[in-house]
Short mmCIF file of all heavy atoms in Angstrom, two decimals:
data_model
loop_
_atom_site.label_atom_id
_atom_site.label_comp_id
_atom_site.label_asym_id
_atom_site.label_seq_id
_atom_site.Cartn_x
_atom_site.Cartn_y
_atom_site.Cartn_z
N VAL S 449 43.27 23.03 82.99
CA VAL S 449 43.99 22.05 83.81
C VAL S 449 45.47 22.40 83.90
O VAL S 449 46.12 22.23 84.94
CB VAL S 449 43.76 20.61 83.31
CG1 VAL S 449 44.64 19.62 84.06
CG2 VAL S 449 42.27 20.23 83.46
N SER S 450 46.02 22.93 82.83
CA SER S 450 47.44 23.38 82.88
C SER S 450 47.61 24.44 83.97
O SER S 450 48.59 24.43 84.72
CB SER S 450 47.85 23.97 81.51
OG SER S 450 47.85 22.99 80.51
N ALA S 451 46.65 25.35 84.05
CA ALA S 451 46.72 26.42 85.09
C ALA S 451 46.56 25.82 86.49
O ALA S 451 47.32 26.20 87.43
CB ALA S 451 45.64 27.46 84.82
N ILE S 452 45.62 24.93 86.64
CA ILE S 452 45.40 24.28 87.94
C ILE S 452 46.64 23.52 88.41
O ILE S 452 47.10 23.67 89.56
CB ILE S 452 44.17 23.33 87.87
CG1 ILE S 452 42.88 24.13 87.72
CG2 ILE S 452 44.11 22.44 89.13
CD1 ILE S 452 41.69 23.28 87.34
N ASN S 453 47.21 22.76 87.51
CA ASN S 453 48.37 21.92 87.88
C ASN S 453 49.63 22.75 88.10
O ASN S 453 50.47 22.39 88.95
CB ASN S 453 48.61 20.85 86.81
CG ASN S 453 47.60 19.72 86.89
OD1 ASN S 453 46.69 19.75 87.71
ND2 ASN S 453 47.75 18.71 86.07
N LEU S 454 49.78 23.85 87.36
CA LEU S 454 50.93 24.70 87.60
C LEU S 454 50.84 25.36 88.99
O LEU S 454 51.87 25.47 89.69
CB LEU S 454 51.04 25.79 86.51
CG LEU S 454 52.23 26.75 86.68
CD1 LEU S 454 53.54 26.00 86.73
CD2 LEU S 454 52.24 27.77 85.53
N CYS S 455 49.65 25.71 89.39
CA CYS S 455 49.47 26.28 90.76
C CYS S 455 49.91 25.26 91.80
O CYS S 455 50.58 25.62 92.79
CB CYS S 455 48.00 26.67 90.97
SG CYS S 455 47.54 28.19 90.11
N SER S 456 49.54 24.02 91.59
CA SER S 456 49.92 22.96 92.55
C SER S 456 51.44 22.80 92.61
O SER S 456 52.04 22.67 93.68
CB SER S 456 49.28 21.64 92.18
OG SER S 456 47.85 21.75 92.19
N GLU S 457 52.06 22.82 91.44
CA GLU S 457 53.52 22.65 91.34
C GLU S 457 54.24 23.83 92.02
O GLU S 457 55.24 23.64 92.73
CB GLU S 457 53.93 22.56 89.87
CG GLU S 457 55.35 22.08 89.66
CD GLU S 457 55.69 21.71 88.23
OE1 GLU S 457 54.74 21.55 87.42
OE2 GLU S 457 56.87 21.61 87.92
N LEU S 458 53.74 25.04 91.83
CA LEU S 458 54.34 26.22 92.42
C LEU S 458 54.16 26.25 93.94
O LEU S 458 55.06 26.68 94.68
CB LEU S 458 53.79 27.49 91.78
CG LEU S 458 54.19 27.71 90.31
CD1 LEU S 458 53.48 28.96 89.75
CD2 LEU S 458 55.70 27.87 90.16
N LYS S 459 52.99 25.81 94.41
CA LYS S 459 52.74 25.77 95.84
C LYS S 459 53.73 24.82 96.54
O LYS S 459 54.18 25.09 97.66
CB LYS S 459 51.30 25.33 96.11
CG LYS S 459 50.89 25.33 97.59
CD LYS S 459 50.94 26.74 98.20
CE LYS S 459 50.45 26.72 99.62
NZ LYS S 459 50.60 28.07 100.27
N GLU S 460 54.04 23.73 95.85
CA GLU S 460 54.98 22.79 96.40
C GLU S 460 56.39 23.40 96.48
O GLU S 460 57.14 23.19 97.43
CB GLU S 460 55.03 21.52 95.54
CG GLU S 460 55.78 20.38 96.15
CD GLU S 460 55.62 19.08 95.35
OE1 GLU S 460 54.51 18.81 94.83
OE2 GLU S 460 56.62 18.34 95.26
N ALA S 461 56.73 24.19 95.45
CA ALA S 461 58.06 24.81 95.39
C ALA S 461 58.17 26.00 96.35
O ALA S 461 59.22 26.26 96.91
CB ALA S 461 58.40 25.23 93.98
N TYR S 462 57.04 26.77 96.46
CA TYR S 462 57.07 28.01 97.25
C TYR S 462 55.86 28.02 98.23
O TYR S 462 54.89 28.74 98.00
CB TYR S 462 57.02 29.21 96.33
CG TYR S 462 58.12 29.23 95.30
CD1 TYR S 462 57.83 29.03 93.95
CD2 TYR S 462 59.46 29.41 95.67
CE1 TYR S 462 58.83 29.04 92.99
CE2 TYR S 462 60.47 29.41 94.73
CZ TYR S 462 60.17 29.23 93.40
OH TYR S 462 61.16 29.24 92.47
N PRO S 463 55.91 27.22 99.26
CA PRO S 463 54.75 27.06 100.17
C PRO S 463 54.36 28.35 100.92
O PRO S 463 53.25 28.45 101.42
CB PRO S 463 55.21 25.97 101.14
CG PRO S 463 56.70 25.95 101.07
CD PRO S 463 57.04 26.35 99.68
N GLU S 464 55.26 29.33 100.94
CA GLU S 464 54.94 30.56 101.66
C GLU S 464 54.00 31.47 100.83
O GLU S 464 53.50 32.48 101.36
CB GLU S 464 56.23 31.33 101.97
CG GLU S 464 57.03 31.86 100.80
CD GLU S 464 58.01 30.87 100.22
OE1 GLU S 464 57.78 29.65 100.33
OE2 GLU S 464 59.02 31.33 99.62
N TYR S 465 53.75 31.13 99.57
CA TYR S 465 52.85 31.89 98.70
C TYR S 465 51.63 31.07 98.34
O TYR S 465 51.64 29.84 98.43
CB TYR S 465 53.58 32.31 97.42
CG TYR S 465 54.76 33.23 97.65
CD1 TYR S 465 56.05 32.72 97.54
CD2 TYR S 465 54.59 34.57 98.00
CE1 TYR S 465 57.16 33.58 97.75
CE2 TYR S 465 55.68 35.41 98.24
CZ TYR S 465 56.95 34.89 98.10
OH TYR S 465 58.05 35.70 98.33
N ASN S 466 50.59 31.75 97.91
CA ASN S 466 49.38 31.09 97.42
C ASN S 466 49.27 31.32 95.90
O ASN S 466 49.58 32.41 95.43
CB ASN S 466 48.13 31.66 98.08
CG ASN S 466 48.21 31.56 99.60
OD1 ASN S 466 48.49 30.50 100.15
ND2 ASN S 466 47.94 32.68 100.27
N PHE S 467 48.82 30.30 95.20
CA PHE S 467 48.70 30.39 93.73
C PHE S 467 47.27 29.98 93.33
O PHE S 467 46.80 28.88 93.70
CB PHE S 467 49.73 29.48 93.08
CG PHE S 467 51.12 29.83 93.49
CD1 PHE S 467 51.75 29.15 94.55
CD2 PHE S 467 51.84 30.84 92.85
CE1 PHE S 467 53.04 29.49 94.95
CE2 PHE S 467 53.12 31.18 93.25
CZ PHE S 467 53.72 30.49 94.29
N VAL S 468 46.63 30.85 92.60
CA VAL S 468 45.22 30.67 92.26
C VAL S 468 45.04 30.52 90.77
O VAL S 468 45.44 31.39 89.98
CB VAL S 468 44.38 31.88 92.74
CG1 VAL S 468 42.93 31.79 92.29
CG2 VAL S 468 44.48 32.04 94.29
N PRO S 469 44.45 29.38 90.29
CA PRO S 469 44.19 29.23 88.86
C PRO S 469 42.99 30.09 88.43
O PRO S 469 41.96 30.08 89.09
CB PRO S 469 43.88 27.74 88.72
CG PRO S 469 43.34 27.34 90.08
CD PRO S 469 44.02 28.22 91.07
N VAL S 470 43.15 30.79 87.32
CA VAL S 470 42.11 31.70 86.83
C VAL S 470 41.73 31.35 85.40
O VAL S 470 42.62 31.17 84.55
CB VAL S 470 42.58 33.17 86.92
CG1 VAL S 470 41.67 34.09 86.09
CG2 VAL S 470 42.60 33.63 88.37
N TYR S 471 40.44 31.26 85.15
CA TYR S 471 39.94 31.21 83.78
C TYR S 471 39.29 32.56 83.46
O TYR S 471 38.33 32.95 84.09
CB TYR S 471 38.91 30.07 83.65
CG TYR S 471 38.00 30.21 82.40
CD1 TYR S 471 38.55 30.44 81.13
CD2 TYR S 471 36.62 30.09 82.50
CE1 TYR S 471 37.73 30.57 80.01
CE2 TYR S 471 35.81 30.19 81.39
CZ TYR S 471 36.37 30.44 80.15
OH TYR S 471 35.55 30.60 79.04
N TRP S 472 39.88 33.24 82.50
CA TRP S 472 39.38 34.54 82.05
C TRP S 472 38.40 34.31 80.91
O TRP S 472 38.79 33.90 79.84
CB TRP S 472 40.56 35.43 81.59
CG TRP S 472 40.18 36.79 81.15
CD1 TRP S 472 39.56 37.13 79.96
CD2 TRP S 472 40.39 38.03 81.85
NE1 TRP S 472 39.35 38.50 79.90
CE2 TRP S 472 39.88 39.07 81.02
CE3 TRP S 472 40.96 38.37 83.06
CZ2 TRP S 472 39.93 40.42 81.40
CZ3 TRP S 472 41.02 39.69 83.44
CH2 TRP S 472 40.50 40.70 82.62
N MET S 473 37.13 34.62 81.17
CA MET S 473 36.12 34.42 80.13
C MET S 473 36.16 35.57 79.13
O MET S 473 36.10 36.74 79.52
CB MET S 473 34.72 34.35 80.76
CG MET S 473 34.46 33.17 81.63
SD MET S 473 32.70 32.95 81.98
CE MET S 473 32.35 34.44 82.94
N ALA S 474 36.21 35.23 77.87
CA ALA S 474 36.23 36.26 76.80
C ALA S 474 34.81 36.70 76.50
O ALA S 474 34.28 36.49 75.39
CB ALA S 474 36.91 35.71 75.57
N THR S 475 34.17 37.32 77.49
CA THR S 475 32.76 37.67 77.37
C THR S 475 32.49 38.79 76.38
O THR S 475 31.39 38.92 75.88
CB THR S 475 32.21 38.09 78.76
OG1 THR S 475 33.00 39.17 79.26
CG2 THR S 475 32.25 36.92 79.73
N GLU S 476 33.52 39.60 76.08
CA GLU S 476 33.31 40.75 75.22
C GLU S 476 33.64 40.48 73.76
O GLU S 476 33.52 41.39 72.92
CB GLU S 476 34.12 41.93 75.73
CG GLU S 476 33.61 42.41 77.09
CD GLU S 476 34.34 43.63 77.63
OE1 GLU S 476 35.41 43.99 77.09
OE2 GLU S 476 33.82 44.22 78.58
N ASP S 477 34.06 39.25 73.43
CA ASP S 477 34.27 38.92 72.01
C ASP S 477 32.95 39.05 71.24
O ASP S 477 31.88 38.88 71.82
CB ASP S 477 34.80 37.49 71.89
CG ASP S 477 36.30 37.39 72.06
OD1 ASP S 477 36.89 38.42 72.45
OD2 ASP S 477 36.86 36.32 71.82
N HIS S 478 33.08 39.28 69.94
CA HIS S 478 31.86 39.37 69.15
C HIS S 478 31.86 38.38 67.97
O HIS S 478 30.99 38.47 67.10
CB HIS S 478 31.65 40.82 68.62
CG HIS S 478 32.83 41.35 67.84
ND1 HIS S 478 33.76 42.21 68.40
CD2 HIS S 478 33.20 41.16 66.57
CE1 HIS S 478 34.66 42.51 67.50
NE2 HIS S 478 34.36 41.91 66.36
N ASP S 479 32.79 37.46 67.98
CA ASP S 479 32.89 36.48 66.86
C ASP S 479 32.00 35.28 67.16
O ASP S 479 32.50 34.20 67.51
CB ASP S 479 34.33 36.08 66.66
CG ASP S 479 35.22 37.24 66.23
OD1 ASP S 479 34.75 38.03 65.41
OD2 ASP S 479 36.36 37.33 66.73
N PHE S 480 30.73 35.43 66.97
CA PHE S 480 29.77 34.38 67.32
C PHE S 480 29.99 33.12 66.50
O PHE S 480 29.84 31.99 67.01
CB PHE S 480 28.33 34.92 67.08
CG PHE S 480 27.24 33.92 67.42
CD1 PHE S 480 27.05 33.49 68.74
CD2 PHE S 480 26.43 33.40 66.45
CE1 PHE S 480 26.06 32.58 69.06
CE2 PHE S 480 25.44 32.49 66.74
CZ PHE S 480 25.24 32.07 68.05
N GLU S 481 30.34 33.29 65.23
CA GLU S 481 30.52 32.12 64.36
C GLU S 481 31.68 31.21 64.81
O GLU S 481 31.72 30.05 64.41
CB GLU S 481 30.77 32.59 62.91
CG GLU S 481 29.58 33.33 62.27
CD GLU S 481 28.31 32.47 62.23
OE1 GLU S 481 28.42 31.30 61.92
OE2 GLU S 481 27.24 33.02 62.53
N GLU S 482 32.57 31.73 65.63
CA GLU S 482 33.67 30.91 66.12
C GLU S 482 33.27 30.04 67.32
O GLU S 482 33.98 29.09 67.64
CB GLU S 482 34.86 31.79 66.51
CG GLU S 482 35.52 32.49 65.33
CD GLU S 482 36.75 33.30 65.79
OE1 GLU S 482 37.11 33.23 66.98
OE2 GLU S 482 37.30 34.02 64.95
N ILE S 483 32.16 30.39 67.96
CA ILE S 483 31.85 29.74 69.24
C ILE S 483 30.50 29.03 69.24
O ILE S 483 30.13 28.40 70.24
CB ILE S 483 31.88 30.76 70.40
CG1 ILE S 483 30.73 31.77 70.21
CG2 ILE S 483 33.23 31.43 70.49
CD1 ILE S 483 30.44 32.57 71.47
N ASN S 484 29.74 29.08 68.17
CA ASN S 484 28.32 28.64 68.21
C ASN S 484 28.12 27.17 67.87
O ASN S 484 27.03 26.78 67.47
CB ASN S 484 27.48 29.51 67.28
CG ASN S 484 27.77 29.27 65.80
OD1 ASN S 484 28.86 28.83 65.46
ND2 ASN S 484 26.82 29.56 64.93
N TYR S 485 29.13 26.34 68.03
CA TYR S 485 29.00 24.92 67.69
C TYR S 485 30.02 24.11 68.48
O TYR S 485 30.98 24.63 69.03
CB TYR S 485 29.20 24.70 66.20
CG TYR S 485 30.61 24.93 65.75
CD1 TYR S 485 31.52 23.87 65.68
CD2 TYR S 485 31.08 26.22 65.44
CE1 TYR S 485 32.83 24.07 65.28
CE2 TYR S 485 32.37 26.43 65.05
CZ TYR S 485 33.24 25.36 64.98
OH TYR S 485 34.58 25.56 64.60
N PHE S 486 29.79 22.80 68.51
CA PHE S 486 30.85 21.88 68.97
C PHE S 486 30.67 20.59 68.14
O PHE S 486 29.62 20.33 67.58
CB PHE S 486 30.75 21.62 70.48
CG PHE S 486 29.48 20.94 70.95
CD1 PHE S 486 29.41 19.56 71.12
CD2 PHE S 486 28.37 21.71 71.26
CE1 PHE S 486 28.26 18.96 71.55
CE2 PHE S 486 27.20 21.11 71.74
CZ PHE S 486 27.14 19.74 71.87
N ASN S 487 31.75 19.79 68.07
CA ASN S 487 31.77 18.58 67.28
C ASN S 487 31.62 17.36 68.18
O ASN S 487 32.36 17.22 69.15
CB ASN S 487 33.06 18.47 66.49
CG ASN S 487 33.21 19.57 65.47
OD1 ASN S 487 32.27 19.87 64.72
ND2 ASN S 487 34.36 20.21 65.43
N PHE S 488 30.65 16.52 67.84
CA PHE S 488 30.42 15.31 68.59
C PHE S 488 30.29 14.14 67.63
O PHE S 488 29.41 14.12 66.78
CB PHE S 488 29.14 15.45 69.45
CG PHE S 488 28.82 14.20 70.24
CD1 PHE S 488 29.44 13.95 71.43
CD2 PHE S 488 27.83 13.30 69.79
CE1 PHE S 488 29.15 12.80 72.18
CE2 PHE S 488 27.55 12.18 70.53
CZ PHE S 488 28.19 11.91 71.71
N ASN S 489 31.20 13.15 67.75
CA ASN S 489 31.21 11.98 66.88
C ASN S 489 31.15 12.37 65.40
O ASN S 489 30.41 11.80 64.61
CB ASN S 489 30.05 11.05 67.25
CG ASN S 489 30.35 10.20 68.46
OD1 ASN S 489 31.50 10.01 68.83
ND2 ASN S 489 29.31 9.71 69.10
N GLY S 490 31.94 13.37 65.04
CA GLY S 490 32.02 13.78 63.66
C GLY S 490 30.88 14.66 63.16
O GLY S 490 30.85 15.02 61.99
#
């Protein structure tokens, strides 16, 4: 959302340019133990 909103702010300041928010997926990471869970209600 920070990326999306910054694009909007920059477009307002510099309407002659286009600003595109990008999410770069870390698909090549190999640290499975860092990503294999999420916390819900503790």
Side-chain angles (χ1 to χ4, degrees):
V449 172
S450 295
I452 291 168
N453 285 3
L454 180 56
C455 286
S456 299
E457 192 169 345
L458 291 175
K459 183 64 176 175
E460 190 172 323
Y462 305 110
E464 66 273 27
Y465 298 105
N466 304 310
F467 303 95
V468 175
V470 166
Y471 162 48
W472 181 286
M473 294 195 295
T475 56
E476 294 183 347
D477 275 9
H478 55 261
D479 297 319
F480 181 66
E481 296 300 318
E482 292 183 6
I483 66 164
N484 69 335
Y485 69 93
F486 64 94
N487 296 313
F488 178 80
N489 281 339

